[in-house]
Amino acid sequence: MKFIYKLSFLAAFFMLFTACEDDESLVVQDQESVFTANNGDVSNLSLNFSYPENPATTVTFTGDEEGPFTIVLSADPEFTSTVTLGTTQTSSFTVSVANLNTTLLEIGAEPFKEFTFYLRGESASGNTEALIYTATTYVEADPELNAPVEGSSIVLDNSTLEDTAATIAFEDFDTEGATVSVNYTLQATVGGTEFTAPQEITANSNDDNFTTSFALTHQSLNTIANLSGIEVGETGDLDFRLLATITTETGVLERTSNLQTVSVTTYVPLNGPRLAVPGPHQDGGDPSFGQWNPDENENVAFVPYLEASATGETDYEGFVYLTTEYKFVTPDADGNFAWGNVDYGDASGSLAYTQQLTADGEGNCATPDGEGYYLVNANTTDLTYSAQKTDWGIIGFATTGDDSGWSQDMDLTFDRASRTWSITLDLSVGEFKFRANDDWGTNFGLASDGTLEFNSSTNMSVSEAGTYEVILDLSNPRNYQFSLNLL
């Protein structure tokens, strides 16, 4: 008669393990429990990646026959396809967490999802009956970053800021239905710097609308490149990689993708660095959104800004209609303005006009001459600021048709809704300028690009006599404009 061996097992549930420094940490739970093969019970195993060398389960053999015994497992009870775990000459066999996890993944188990498999012993005399297990495996492979393509080139464009510049695509295990939380973070750094100080973007999570691709806009990728060290308007290499952080009940598993290197050419911003100037002067809309709010994404009717002369400079300038008090707010890494970013106020710690700035213990800045239209300057390096109240007029030969026009101003009227100064008057053929407060200390002439330039020696001119609507628009910092509309 054919001899059938009986097989029993000791199951270890490693979610209950705690780390120790001696060998007593390798204790299998419920050592006294011995189960007869094919008794209808199912053993549940949760394989803990924190202890890969610990025993996952131990099986024992009963009978008079000696080994060797070959331990095989299968995804189906008929054992139509088997994988060998190992062999033993004794009456027991122990498989480690790492070995069992790798084997189960090979036969079709999905990471962090329950998987049923069957185990038995085989010898020259015959096979034991099968033991039934349900195990939860963990992932072993790293995520694979496959876009952007290695060695590709991306030229960023400041005229398409919100368009997609690069698509990040990757492959990883199927997280749908997995009993874990997975978060993906994209890291970028200048090529060859080994991610010593990477820029990071939270790319995706399986908790909310999970996909294996996402887009970077021209603006966001340009910011990443600039912060990484690629200068404005220059070309350099960026290294990309993806970090996957898996959080389970037993610990945190971190994995790192392959590296992709891409050539990136940054753009020169249309606007220089800016500061937002929030305060009660912000008009229009719901006061809860429209006042003291630097975030133009929150239904704010208008956010006034100051602008620096160039990237890397901190000499901010602009015109703002001020009522009582205000502060200066810096953008975050993505260029967004919001409370929570670094903000500057008067160094006195209270509502004052000391012309000294601080970002620590600051107070609100005061208007030195009451409500009105101010030329505001701020320097976040020197920690100084100033506010000069201005009323604007037009002056010159064109206002009178003779040289007497250079000795008297025709006052413009400010409109808060349009944020422009204007006047309707008859103009003669000839030259003119705009100046503030009936004084030549602050005036505008014509720049080479057709905009207005402080204290320029070049005048504007009228080529055809007639009645004009003259509009002076100083609302866009460092891009001051005027228009002459013949009526």
Side-chain angles (χ1 to χ4, degrees):
M1 179 174 125
K2 189 176 182 180
F3 186 84
I4 303 295
Y5 295 98
K6 289 189 176 180
L7 180 63
S8 61
F9 63 84
L10 300 174
F13 302 95
F14 285 86
M15 291 177 66
L16 304 176
F17 278 13
T18 56
C20 299
E21 294 183 357
D22 53 41
D23 291 340
E24 293 181 359
S25 64
L26 302 180
V27 175
V28 181
Q29 184 190 12
D30 203 5
Q31 292 264 11
E32 300 299 321
S33 298
V34 179
F35 299 89
T36 302
N38 204 27
N39 66 353
D41 290 341
V42 176
S43 177
N44 295 308
L45 302 178
S46 182
L47 304 179
N48 191 335
F49 54 79
S50 299
Y51 306 101
E53 300 308 315
N54 278 12
T57 188
T58 297
V59 295
T60 60
F61 303 89
T62 59
D64 298 330
E65 293 296 316
E66 296 182 355
F69 299 97
T70 300
I71 313 304
V72 300
L73 58 78
S74 177
D76 65 273
E78 289 78 22
F79 288 82
T80 54
S81 178
T82 62
V83 176
T84 299
L85 280 177
T87 60
T88 180
Q89 295 284 348
T90 68
S91 60
S92 68
F93 175 82
T94 298
V95 59
S96 68
V97 169
N99 189 5
L100 182 58
N101 190 78
T102 299
T103 304
L104 293 178
L105 292 175
E106 289 177 356
I107 66 171
E110 294 187 62
F112 305 107
K113 299 177 185 179
E114 285 190 352
F115 180 76
T116 299
F117 66 97
Y118 304 86
L119 184 150
R120 73 184 181 189
E122 298 178 349
S123 74
S125 301
N127 304 330
T128 69
E129 296 172 349
L131 295 174
I132 306 173
Y133 288 85
T134 298
T136 301
T137 58
Y138 56 87
V139 67
E140 295 180 355
D142 289 327
E144 182 179 355
L145 186 63
N146 48 41
V149 177
E150 172 74 17
S152 60
S153 299
I154 301 173
V155 178
L156 301 173
D157 188 344
N158 61 13
S159 66
T160 56
L161 297 179
E162 299 305 317
D163 290 352
T164 297
T167 298
I168 308 299
F170 63 95
E171 295 179 5
D172 203 6
F173 70 95
D174 183 8
T175 62
E176 185 175 357
T179 58
V180 293
S181 173
V182 188
N183 290 291
Y184 296 92
T185 300
L186 180 69
Q187 290 188 326
T189 187
V190 170
T193 56
E194 299 182 351
F195 295 89
T196 53
Q199 301 300 313
E200 294 189 340
I201 298 174
T202 300
N204 223 326
S205 169
N206 70 319
D207 295 332
D208 183 26
N209 298 324
F210 174 69
T211 63
T212 55
S213 66
F214 59 96
L216 293 178
T217 65
H218 285 261
Q219 183 176 24
S220 60
L221 184 52
N222 194 77
T223 300
I224 291 170
N226 290 159
L227 292 176
S228 296
I230 300 176
E231 298 294 333
V232 172
E234 299 294 330
T235 299
D237 285 342
L238 279 184
D239 288 343
F240 289 98
R241 71 181 184 185
L242 200 68
L243 299 185
T245 303
I246 302 173
T247 304
T248 74
E249 293 181 356
T250 59
V252 176
L253 176 61
E254 293 186 342
R255 299 172 301 131
T256 305
S257 78
N258 56 306
L259 181 149
Q260 299 279 57
T261 301
V262 177
S263 172
V264 175
T265 301
T266 62
Y267 58 71
V268 178
L270 292 174
N271 297 310
R274 287 187 164 194
L275 293 177
V277 189
H281 51 272
Q282 290 179 265
D283 52 6
D286 185 339
S288 63
F289 290 103
Q291 296 182 353
W292 282 110
N293 195 335
D295 189 351
E296 61 184 10
N297 296 316
E298 291 191 358
N299 196 32
V300 180
F302 178 68
V303 180
Y305 296 100
L306 309 184
E307 185 173 312
S309 58
T311 300
E313 300 298 328
T314 58
D315 54 344
Y316 298 97
E317 166 195 296
F319 286 88
V320 184
Y321 189 92
L322 299 173
T323 54
T324 53
E325 49 193 305
Y326 53 96
K327 293 183 87 170
F328 305 102
V329 178
T330 65
D332 62 17
D334 292 325
N336 299 312
F337 294 87
W339 293 117
N341 300 352
V342 176
D343 64 86
Y344 292 87
D346 196 274
S348 66
S350 60
L351 178 60
Y353 180 66
T354 67
Q355 297 184 271
Q356 297 297 313
L357 288 176
T358 182
D360 184 18
E362 74 280 1
N364 294 336
C365 301
T367 53
D369 295 305
E371 182 173 347
Y373 196 74
Y374 283 83
L375 170 60
V376 182
N377 294 86
N379 193 310
T380 55
T381 299
D382 298 341
L383 294 179
T384 59
Y385 77 101
S386 64
Q388 175 193 355
K389 190 175 183 180
T390 61
D391 290 290
W392 288 88
I394 181 174
I395 190 172
F397 185 100
T399 62
T400 60
D402 56 39
D403 286 337
S404 66
W406 290 108
S407 61
Q408 56 184 343
D409 294 82
M410 306 292 290
D411 293 337
L412 280 65
T413 301
F414 183 69
D415 177 57
R416 288 191 65 183
S418 64
R419 293 176 289 278
T420 60
W421 295 85
S422 65
I423 187 175
T424 299
L425 77 169
D426 293 331
L427 292 178
S428 302
V429 174
E431 296 182 335
F432 68 94
K433 279 192 169 185
F434 297 103
R435 70 175 186 175
N437 305 330
D438 300 328
D439 185 85
W440 286 111
T442 304
N443 70 85
F444 280 122
L446 192 64
S448 58
D449 61 359
T451 61
L452 296 174
E453 183 178 18
F454 274 114
N455 303 324
S456 169
S457 59
T458 304
N459 300 331
M460 288 74 74
S461 62
V462 177
S463 59
E464 179 183 352
T467 301
Y468 285 85
E469 180 187 33
V470 181
I471 299 176
L472 176 64
D473 185 356
L474 309 178
S475 61
N476 193 0
R478 296 189 182 272
N479 188 22
Y480 309 124
Q481 306 275 350
F482 79 99
S483 60
L484 299 178
N485 301 319
L486 182 61
L487 301 179

